[in-house]
Every structure is written in structure tokens, then in C-alpha cells.
Amino acid sequence: MAIDQNAIKEHIRGILIALGDDPDREGIKDTPERVARMYAEVFEGMNYTNDEIAEMFSKNFDIPSGNDKDMVVVKDIEIFSYCEHHLALMYDMKVSVAYIPKGKVIGLSKIARIADMVAKRLQLQERIGTDIAEVIRKATGSDDVAVYIEGNHSCMTARGIKKTAAKTMTTTFLGRFEEEEALQNKLLLMVK
């Protein structure tokens, strides 16, 4: 699905009118174009399925056999996303991703790129974790994947309840991470 920038421009112009502003006013006459370009960038992930993201970032490297007890962890990957309920920015989100390699690993930067691409959709924090875990599973071939996310949401901090210190933590555990409490605890000690 391609993002329709022309439709976005038209609708943003309509929103400006609905807000009671003049869309031809000097300060905002280019706003529809700017917003359309911004949306194409920040919602890039909506152009791809999880399978397509896994394919994009699945270049992997073989590792010696017997390393199936080692854990790969990338901590504090900063991402931004937009809440699907309010189109509000979810910000100050930090993602930690772990997996137990099954004969191969992917480049560490690929893990951050996967987190970024998944976040570039209208999302819920809970789904971001599930989507990242699914993509990592497909890209690495490992069923043992965990994702921990801690984030602030402007739909809670800047409007509504206005609780600026509120943080939301979510976890997604697959495979051994779901089954073995000791493995969960080990990971959570590492990422908190």
C-alpha cells in the first residue's frame, strides 16, 4: 500500500479550514505539503507487512553450533510511533530486543532498523512489541525472542489525564522466553 500524499494534502487543508484558519495564510499555506511529506516518512512502515520487513533485514551470519544458550540483546533502541487512537506521538520509547540464535545471527543494526520500521505505523505499544518479536523470529529463524518496551504517550501526558511521569512497560515473550521464568528474569535484569 503506497501512502497517498495528494489525499493527505487535501485532508490537511480541510482540517485547517475546520479549525477556523485560512489555509492560504502565509504561515500555513505550505502546511499540507509539509504534513504529507512528514507522514510519508513517519508512516513508512505502513507500506510493508511484517514478512516484507523480515525479508528486508534478514541478512544473517552463521555462528558455531552449540551456541544455542547464548543470548543476543540490543538494549535502549529509541523509537517513535503514532497512537492509532488519537494520531498522537508516542515518544521517549525505548525498546530492548533479545533472541537466542539458532545457528545464525543478524547484524545488530538490523535489530534497530526492524524496531524503527515497525514503529513507523499507526500503532499500539503492545502491538509494536508483538510485531518486532514476529519480525525478529522470521529474520533470525529463532523461536526464542523477547521484546521489552518502555514508553511515554502524549495522549496521556499532553492531553486527557495529563500525567507527565506515567510510563507504559510492555513485554512480548516467544519460545523459551515465554516458557522459562529464569530466562525472563535474566533478561529483565539486563534491560531495566
Side-chain angles (χ1 to χ4, degrees), residues 49-58 114 134-135 138-139:
T49 65
N50 284 350
D51 287 335
E52 291 168 328
I53 295 170
E55 181 66 29
M56 281 192 285
F57 300 114
S58 66
I114 288 167
E134 180 181 322
V135 173
K138 290 176 181 189

Side-chain angles (χ1 to χ4, degrees), residues 26-160:
E26 185 59 36
I28 62 171
K29 71 180 180 182
D30 294 328
T31 296
E33 173 72 31
R34 284 192 298 268
V35 171
R37 283 194 318 267
M38 178 192 74
Y39 278 8
E41 177 185 338
V42 302
F43 294 126
E44 178 187 8
M46 295 181 77
N47 293 318
Y48 306 102
T49 65
N50 284 350
D51 287 335
E52 291 168 328
I53 295 170
E55 181 66 29
M56 281 192 285
F57 300 114
S58 66
K59 180 176 176 160
N60 53 61
F61 309 94
D62 291 336
I63 57 171
S65 62
N67 288 13
D68 62 348
K69 294 184 180 173
D70 295 341
M71 184 188 325
V72 175
V73 179
V74 178
K75 177 181 171 179
D76 293 336
I77 302 166
E78 293 182 359
I79 63 167
F80 301 89
S81 192
Y82 284 80
C83 166
E84 66 185 34
H85 296 147
H86 302 101
L87 298 182
L89 182 63
M90 293 189 277
Y91 60 96
D92 291 337
M93 295 181 76
K94 290 189 179 182
V95 176
S96 296
V97 177
Y99 72 99
I100 299 172
K102 190 174 179 182
K104 60 185 178 178
V105 294
I106 59 173
L108 299 176
S109 70
K110 302 294 187 267
I111 295 171
R113 291 177 194 279
I114 288 167
D116 272 343
M117 190 62 77
V118 164
K120 290 181 174 185
R121 299 170 171 168
L122 291 174
Q123 279 284 24
L124 299 173
Q125 183 171 325
E126 298 86 343
R127 190 178 325 101
I128 292 172
T130 301
D131 285 351
I132 291 170
E134 180 181 322
V135 173
I136 294 290
R137 182 177 54 79
K138 290 176 181 189
T140 64
S142 174
D143 291 325
D144 306 318
V145 179
V147 179
Y148 173 83
I149 303 174
E150 183 175 308
N152 291 358
H153 297 245
S154 62
C155 51
M156 277 189 61
T157 61
R159 57 152 306 276

